[in-house]
Amino acid sequence: MHKRTKNILAAFILLVLCLPMLQELVHLFSEKPLTGRNSASSVKPVFKLKNWFNGSWQDSTVIYDNQHFGLRTWYMRLNNQLYFTAFKRARANGLIVGKNDYLFDIHYINAYLGNDSKGYKAQLEYLEKFRFVQNTLQKRNITLMLVMMPGKATFYSEFLPDEYATAPRGITNNMLLHRISDSLGVNCVNLSPYLLEMKKQSPYPLYPPYGIHWSEYGMLLGMDSVGRFIERKRNIDLPDVKLQKMVWSDSARGDDYDIGAGANLLFDLPPVRYAYPDYQMITEGKTQLDALCVGDSYYWQFFGMSKIEREWFRNSKYWFYFRELHTRDVGEISEAESHKKLREEVFGKQVILIFYCDANLEKPGNGFVEEVYDMLRYTGNYAGTENQRLKDIERDIRADKNWMELIRQKAEKSNIPLDTMVKMDSKYVLEHEWD
């Protein structure tokens, strides 16, 4: 009997050891894919003699196989779950488990504590450029505004782990930008004080415990304040939101469970109740605008996914971190291509929003304000010097045969060398480029 037990145990251990191979061969069980970005090793290496002899095929195959063996996702979820349950720690990069299992990203905690502060001088320099761009665009009836909202750690600071909750808090980027904007007359809507006050009054969650962004209801309240600011600045009446009712749900919608999903646990986190607004838009006799937003992921819930955005903005673009230019219901344009459209996108809009949560306020706009500043100051939309902009114009002139023929005729008539006349025309274009 004792020998039989050992044989059964040995067979069981052998079966467990062989399960990954069996899963790889015959797919005994369905596996839930892990949440997160796929690495380059997600693509199976293609065998080539050249790669075989230089060893790269072997190296890449080992990496690929280590990430694609049978039951890998299940084993990873089991490991993450044991770590989470035993130590209240998450295995996902930068993910912090707070009190009551509230989930936070370390970047948002650093923003709340002021650890990522750029300092007064840097933010003052940024906002002085912002003010110049704002005032210059205002002459063209284009409203530029900075919108800031609290990140998850700022909004739910009471649920931070003790090591962060008791840490000294410094001057944050949000505080600096708010104070300097007020003194310089910069168009700034800081939603942090408002949403933190509404948290005390609202019976509905404004931020979900297992999500990184605001809830749909929090977005609705925040954007209502943004809309009121736009109405005052432009003396218009945007379509209004008419809240019909709030719908409670035991399951998360949209991105309300995105950090929870990113933890890649074996079991779902403790259930909570979510509230979602059911609303209509009042559009009769209202004004629509052409708008551009340069922002972080907090704008995704508004852009193209809410009735408010579709009724407020008839021609809407979203420049995600000033990298990917998205057009509603169309798609995106790559960074290289989209930056060529800077002048077109800026001058083709009535409202431009620089839209960031506090975790991304080290450089609001990711260079957008600085590039527009350079463009408006005749220093080129990517080079940063007036001489470079002159060279760009001269290059365009020389590439245009008709333009060069006109300049050749002017040079002969005025008895001026052709190169000199090209430089004179380039300077004239530069000085009147934005007339």
Side-chain angles (χ1 to χ4, degrees), residues 354-367:
I354 308 298
F355 196 97
Y356 284 79
C357 78
D358 58 15
N360 296 307
L361 290 177
E362 292 181 67
K363 191 176 182 181
N366 294 96

Side-chain angles (χ1 to χ4, degrees), residues 304-360:
M305 293 189 289
S306 70
K307 291 180 284 188
I308 312 174
E309 193 266 352
R310 291 177 177 271
E311 297 299 339
W312 281 5
F313 306 141
R314 60 174 168 259
N315 179 18
S316 178
K317 297 286 186 72
Y318 175 29
W319 225 327
F320 183 55
Y321 285 106
F322 196 38
R323 294 198 301 263
E324 304 162 0
L325 182 59
H326 295 258
T327 302
R328 186 173 63 204
D329 300 328
V330 176
E332 70 178 71
I333 301 175
S334 68
E335 181 175 4
E337 291 299 317
S338 63
H339 280 231
K340 296 177 182 178
K341 296 177 173 289
L342 183 63
R343 178 182 179 183
E344 173 187 336
E345 294 302 334
V346 169
F347 291 142
K349 301 298 182 288
Q350 295 166 291
V351 171
I352 300 176
L353 308 176
I354 308 298
F355 196 97
Y356 284 79
C357 78
D358 58 15
N360 296 307

Side-chain angles (χ1 to χ4, degrees), residues 354-416:
I354 308 298
F355 196 97
Y356 284 79
C357 78
D358 58 15
N360 296 307
L361 290 177
E362 292 181 67
K363 191 176 182 181
N366 294 96
F368 172 83
V369 171
E370 291 85 347
E371 284 204 28
V372 177
Y373 175 87
D374 285 344
M375 181 178 72
L376 297 175
R377 295 283 292 184
Y378 311 124
T379 55
N381 63 350
Y382 57 85
T385 65
E386 183 172 342
N387 287 337
Q388 182 61 49
R389 182 59 185 147
L390 279 169
K391 291 178 182 178
D392 294 340
I393 296 172
E394 183 176 335
R395 179 200 61 206
D396 293 340
I397 290 175
R398 292 184 183 278
D400 190 320
K401 293 181 180 180
N402 294 329
W403 199 346
M404 278 297 295
E405 179 58 31
L406 291 173
I407 292 178
R408 184 175 288 105
Q409 293 175 12
K410 289 197 310 183
E412 291 177 356
K413 185 177 180 179
S414 303
N415 197 26
I416 294 176

